[in-house]
Amino acid sequence: MDALTNLGAAIVGLAEPSSLFSVLWATLLGMTVGMLPGLTATLGIALLTTLTFRMAADDAILILIAMYVGAIYGGSRTAILLNIPGTPANAASGLDGFPLARAGRAGEAMGIATVGSFFGSVVGLLALALIAPQLAEFGLRFQSYEFFWLAVFGVVISGRLTAMDDPIKGWISGFLGLFLAQVGQEGIHAYQRFAYGSVDLAGGFGLLPALVGAFGFAEILCVMKEPAYVTVRDVGSRILPSLRDLFGRWWTVLRSGLIGTTMGIVPGVGEDMGAWVSYAAARRASREPETFGKGATEGLLAAETGNNAAVPGAIIPVLTLAVPGSAPAAVLLAAMFIHGVRPGPLIMIESPDFVFQVAGMLFWASVAILVLGLALTKPMLFVLRVPREYLMPVIFVLCVVGAFAIASRVFDVYVMLGFGILGFALRQMNYPMAPLVLGIVLGDILDKNFRRGMVLSDGSFEPFVTRPISAVLAALTLVTILWGIGPVRRAAGRLVRRPS
Amino acid sequence: MSGARRADLVFAVLLTVFGIAATVESWRMPTLAELGVDPMSAPGLTPGLLGVVLAVLGLALLGRSLGGGEMGETAAAGGWGRLAVALVLCLGYAAGLLGRVPFWAATAIFVALFTFVFTVREAGPVRAGAGSLVLAAAVAVAVTLLFERVFLVRLP
């Protein structure tokens, strides 16, 4: 009950005009970013980080969280109206949202997505307030061995779940990210790795320029390569979903909220899987599974509840272990470091109120998507009518400024360009981006903790696999790898199905 | 051989070579033993291991590409010409114009060119030119003022 009392106090504390104004404009900006195909929540948070890094930490993080929640929600509009997910997290929403729009029920579909996103965020933030303090306390038991496995498990599970058809590509993406993070001055002896005398390379690849490249420049190239999109203009008259429908589906909302939150907590998996797994669970549980994919409101509700519940879920490991649950959460983590906030297991000792403040920020951002989403359904359609030929050069200018602004290094602009071209090439070959980002974030954690662990154990790998938490993480990593190898998975399946 | 399989094959070879090169380079890094450093904290340890992992993953991908194993979806086809033009314009702006021309001017030139090139076929030269110039002027002024004056951010 303490957690809920603290959450209530944080919500009340944030209810002042300047904070609420920041939430409103940042959520609206996030919705716009999410709506525009080619702009993702990750890019939105990365660009906004460069704008807010001179602000006070609390204000900046409030704005970034509002952008995050708004962007993940905003992408549903594009999925419903164009059948193109505004962000990767909204891909499942298009399956039923677009058929609803084609049937002249676009307004109703957007209303369902709005209400589902709101309830998903609320379930997620309640879980954050209840789970995060416990997880942080549990995290205090982690030493170098456990953090090493957490980093390895993070890229392995992220690689597996974001590339279900081809896990090897997910793993390549993740380990490439881990390797790229090794470039530059390392954190134990200050040795400059792979710098070859270059002062710029000695500084390493900045996370934000790399992300702006991989999610901004790469997206611009993808969008310019694809044919132009055509938007639905008639959204119908009905926008508010019926309350009877919603109450009748309380179990779908709760189940999707819990699934989304759980998927968010898993490192590097995040909103996309939150939506897909919630959608699949709703279809399995439905009395009319045959309507899914043909305009089932329950499917849309499940997908949108799931992806927005994953936002607070992805922030839980950010706050408690300094490990991001998704790509946008990775940028949020970087932004917290820039603003002097030190997330990790010590957060409940050093700044216990911060966890509840973040939950309070998520609450107000959720209220903002509910109010703005229902009130601005028709006006926001204009955003989708801006031709990409006008939009993309402006976005690229912002990418250049965003990459440069943090450290005022021209090298960071080149890093942005390099990661953009790499990200585009990888995407064309169906390599997922989330493990790459997670790898870049976890590279330093992996390096320091692996070497510290080896020093503490006098060069023995034994403690890495015999300490209880390490052993569990090592076993999970091994199972995830074996599960991703087709012949092993099929053999295990045959074994399970064999009659006794 | 399909396009996707060929792309995987080329990437697998590149990744394997990259992984081996990374391992060799990591092996060549000093152990700092002369400074009394524990060899288990040598700077090359982690990147060396990651190099090995990347090389193994590259070999696995190579084996699959050659052996006809499971493949993911093929990459989507699309307008490669449009892509090439967009890439050249973006690189020209970020790596060519910036630093040599004031930011506002470089931005105006880039936005005007980008918009004009991609809209001239549909809108005609006069409308495309007018639209491009208006957008270019607005973006150059707005971004410069907003970032430098409001958010106090340095521009390239």
Side-chain angles (χ1 to χ4, degrees):
Chain A
M1 287 308 286
D2 272 358
L4 295 181
T5 311
N6 289 333
L7 173 63
I11 290 171
V12 173
L14 284 164
E16 53 181 64
S18 63
S19 300
L20 295 181
F21 178 69
S22 294
V23 168
L24 275 181
W25 74 256
T27 307
L28 191 60
L29 188 63
M31 286 165 61
T32 310
V33 164
M35 278 180 77
L36 291 167
L39 301 191
T40 60
T42 312
L43 177 69
I45 302 169
L47 289 178
L48 208 51
T49 299
T50 63
L51 287 181
T52 54
F53 82 111
R54 286 182 191 272
M55 290 184 178
D58 286 353
D59 295 339
I61 290 163
L62 174 67
I63 287 168
L64 296 178
I65 284 176
M67 157 66 78
Y68 189 178
V69 174
I72 295 295
Y73 158 68
S76 65
R77 301 278 161 124
T78 333
I80 291 165
L81 295 170
L82 309 178
N83 203 21
I84 301 170
T87 71
N90 307 99
S93 309
L95 292 183
D96 287 300
F98 188 61
L100 282 169
R102 286 177 66 180
R105 295 165 65 192
E108 187 189 346
M110 286 189 275
I112 290 167
T114 306
V115 176
S117 298
F118 170 75
F119 282 118
S121 296
V122 170
V123 172
L125 72 91
L126 285 173
L128 188 151
L130 294 169
I131 294 172
Q134 270 71 36
L135 193 60
E137 201 177 315
F138 181 68
L140 288 171
R141 297 185 208 167
F142 281 35
Q143 291 186 12
S144 296
Y145 313 105
E146 286 79 17
F147 275 111
F148 164 77
W149 278 117
L150 197 62
V152 176
F153 176 65
V155 293
V156 168
I157 189 81
S158 171
R160 176 69 186 98
L161 292 179
T162 54
M164 290 298 279
D165 297 337
D166 207 357
I168 193 170
K169 292 190 172 177
W171 295 331
I172 288 173
S173 186
F175 280 96
L176 201 57
L178 285 175
F179 183 82
L180 290 170
Q182 308 304 312
V183 176
Q185 190 167 294
E186 47 92 23
I188 296 182
H189 306 300
Y191 179 78
Q192 295 174 0
R193 294 193 285 220
F194 307 110
Y196 306 106
S198 159
V199 179
D200 288 324
L201 276 174
F205 299 128
L207 177 67
L208 285 178
L211 290 184
V212 169
F215 285 87
F217 186 32
E219 283 288 354
I220 290 169
L221 295 176
C222 288
V223 168
M224 292 312 294
K225 181 172 164 274
E226 297 306 321
Y229 48 79
V230 181
T231 179
V232 171
R233 283 171 183 263
D234 178 22
V235 298
S237 56
R238 186 174 161 189
I239 290 166
L240 276 175
S242 91
L243 285 177
R244 210 183 65 168
D245 268 12
L246 279 176
F247 282 123
R249 294 200 171 126
W250 68 272
W251 174 233
T252 304
V253 170
L254 185 63
R255 182 185 54 229
S256 306
L258 293 174
I259 290 174
T261 308
T262 311
M263 295 313 293
I265 294 172
V266 179
V269 175
E271 298 82 18
D272 317 10
M273 289 305 293
W276 281 115
V277 178
S278 301
Y279 184 84
R283 187 164 61 181
R284 262 199 306 275
S286 173
R287 287 182 195 150
E288 301 166 317
E290 70 282 357
T291 59
F292 277 62
K294 295 171 188 162
T297 50
E298 194 178 0
L300 176 62
L301 183 68
E304 276 305 306
T305 308
N307 64 21
N308 264 78
V311 173
I315 296 176
I316 292 174
V318 165
L319 293 174
T320 55
L321 300 170
V323 171
S326 66
V331 194
L332 192 64
L333 174 66
M336 285 182 183
F337 280 123
I338 288 170
H339 284 287
V341 177
R342 291 203 322 139
L346 290 174
I347 197 153
M348 290 310 290
I349 296 167
E350 291 178 349
S351 42
D353 291 342
F354 185 67
V355 169
F356 301 106
Q357 270 182 350
V358 168
M361 292 171 188
L362 283 162
F363 173 79
W364 285 114
S366 311
V367 173
I369 59 169
L370 185 66
V371 174
L372 294 172
L374 293 177
L376 301 180
T377 296
K378 288 184 181 174
M380 286 207 77
L381 289 178
F382 287 109
V383 173
L384 290 177
R385 293 184 192 149
V386 179
R388 60 184 171 164
E389 289 78 12
Y390 291 118
L391 196 64
M392 290 304 136
V394 182
I395 302 299
F396 185 69
V397 170
L398 295 179
C399 287
V400 170
V401 175
F404 179 83
I406 291 285
S408 298
R409 287 199 307 174
V410 175
F411 177 71
D412 285 336
V413 176
Y414 300 144
V415 169
M416 183 273 291
L417 294 174
F419 272 83
I421 292 170
L422 176 72
F424 172 76
L426 289 177
R427 216 170 291 195
Q428 292 300 302
M429 293 186 286
N430 293 312
Y431 286 81
M433 286 292 104
L436 182 84
V437 173
L438 190 69
I440 297 173
V441 174
L442 294 179
D444 187 50
I445 295 175
L446 176 94
D447 176 41
K448 281 183 189 157
N449 288 292
F450 178 54
R451 290 189 290 149
R452 273 185 201 143
M454 291 301 277
V455 170
L456 289 171
S457 64
D458 278 335
S460 165
F461 202 70
E462 197 184 320
F464 284 90
V465 288
T466 53
R467 289 167 57 87
I469 301 171
S470 282
V472 170
L473 287 170
L476 284 173
T477 306
L478 186 67
V479 168
T480 308
I481 292 171
L482 292 175
W483 173 43
I485 300 172
V488 177
R489 192 173 58 246
R490 282 191 291 273
R494 278 197 298 273
L495 215 61
V496 171
R497 283 194 298 272
R498 184 179 291 171
S500 53
Chain B
M1 186 180 274
S2 71
R5 197 177 289 277
R6 199 178 310 120
D8 276 357
L9 183 70
V10 173
F11 187 71
V13 172
L14 288 175
L15 187 69
T16 308
V17 171
F18 179 76
I20 294 169
T23 309
V24 172
E25 280 294 280
S26 305
W27 185 262
R28 287 174 52 201
M29 282 180 199
T31 59
L32 308 176
E34 67 280 10
L35 302 175
V37 164
D38 189 313
M40 283 299 144
S41 71
L45 191 64
T46 314
L49 271 177
L50 290 171
V52 171
V53 173
L54 286 175
V56 169
L57 287 169
L59 285 173
L61 189 64
L62 184 67
R64 199 186 65 176
S65 313
L66 291 173
E70 292 171 26
M71 295 289 297
E73 292 168 21
T74 54
W80 290 99
R82 293 173 57 86
L83 169 75
V85 173
L87 185 64
V88 167
L89 287 170
C90 289
L91 291 179
Y93 167 63
L97 277 179
L98 285 179
R100 292 182 177 82
V101 183
F103 175 81
W104 63 267
T107 301
I109 293 168
F110 165 69
V111 174
L113 262 180
F114 195 104
T115 316
F116 182 78
V117 166
F118 285 108
T119 55
V120 68
R121 190 178 290 178
E122 275 188 26
V126 177
R127 274 189 66 196
S132 307
L133 287 176
V134 170
L135 182 70
V139 172
V141 172
V143 171
T144 307
L145 287 180
L146 191 71
F147 279 78
E148 268 189 346
R149 301 286 162 84
V150 179
F151 293 106
L152 307 174
V153 169
R154 279 191 63 194
L155 293 172

